Amino acid sequence: MHWKLVIDTADPHAQADFWAAALGYTVEDNSALIGKLLGLGAVPAELTVEHHGRRAFRDLIAVRHPDDPYEEESGTGLGRRLLFQRVPEPKTVKNRLHLDLHPGEGRREAEVARLERLGARVLRRVEEPSGSWTVMTDPEGNEYCVH
């Protein structure tokens, strides 16, 4: 079984770059599929953009775990994926779903600092009897935790 978590966003390509760097994932390369669709006239050129020197869909892009299989013809991952899709409205409320990142024992602060350099922001640090973690936001304000 494979899965993807779909995340609404204002800028799918910037979000894909952030999360690929944050998770050590790979931004999917759908350029072969896009070239085929453009050649067939199935997709108008205005629905594509150039991203990292190759054709990408304008309104969606995914990142995948680098060790998971993918379909070579389309570039689509067949494992763990995050798909970022453009939506017109901004984020307005707290996430109903979020990622928890676990960098390993004693590595939280270094990971928080690395994520801040990528464009994340610390919302708060939590210390509870059940544990401690840092609540952060990605560049568009989506919340996640670093344990």
Side-chain angles (χ1 to χ4, degrees):
M1 170 174 39
H2 59 89
W3 58 267
K4 68 179 173 269
L5 175 64
V6 179
I7 301 170
D8 293 346
T9 179
D11 186 343
H13 300 93
Q15 285 293 88
D17 287 345
F18 171 82
W19 283 104
L23 299 173
Y25 274 36
T26 300
V27 176
E28 289 184 353
D29 178 0
N30 303 124
S31 60
L33 171 63
I34 292 168
K36 183 178 178 180
L37 293 172
L38 287 170
L40 293 171
V43 171
E46 57 269 11
L47 293 183
T48 69
V49 295
E50 187 171 311
H51 184 64
H52 297 301
R54 57 189 186 227
R55 277 275 163 233
F57 291 109
R58 181 189 68 202
D59 294 327
L60 59 93
I61 192 165
V63 300
R64 64 175 175 81
H65 191 283
D67 296 336
D68 288 352
Y70 65 96
E71 189 178 84
E72 289 191 33
E73 186 177 325
S74 69
T76 301
L78 301 172
R80 299 161 279 184
R81 303 171 66 219
L82 301 177
L83 175 72
F84 301 93
Q85 68 179 5
R86 185 182 314 276
V87 296
E89 65 278 353
K91 179 181 179 296
T92 57
V93 297
K94 183 179 183 328
N95 299 12
R96 297 290 299 202
L97 176 75
H98 71 267
L99 297 176
D100 280 354
L101 307 183
H102 298 268
E105 187 68 34
R107 296 192 22 83
R108 181 180 8 175
E109 288 308 314
E111 184 64 5
V112 165
R114 184 183 77 86
L115 293 165
E116 285 180 304
R117 287 191 300 275
L118 292 173
R121 188 171 61 91
V122 172
L123 281 183
R124 66 186 171 280
R125 287 177 165 71
V126 179
E127 297 285 337
E128 294 185 355
S130 61
S132 61
W133 58 91
T134 302
V135 180
M136 301 187 76
T137 62
D138 71 13
E140 287 198 7
N142 298 305
E143 298 161 25
Y144 63 97
C145 298
V146 181
H147 289 261

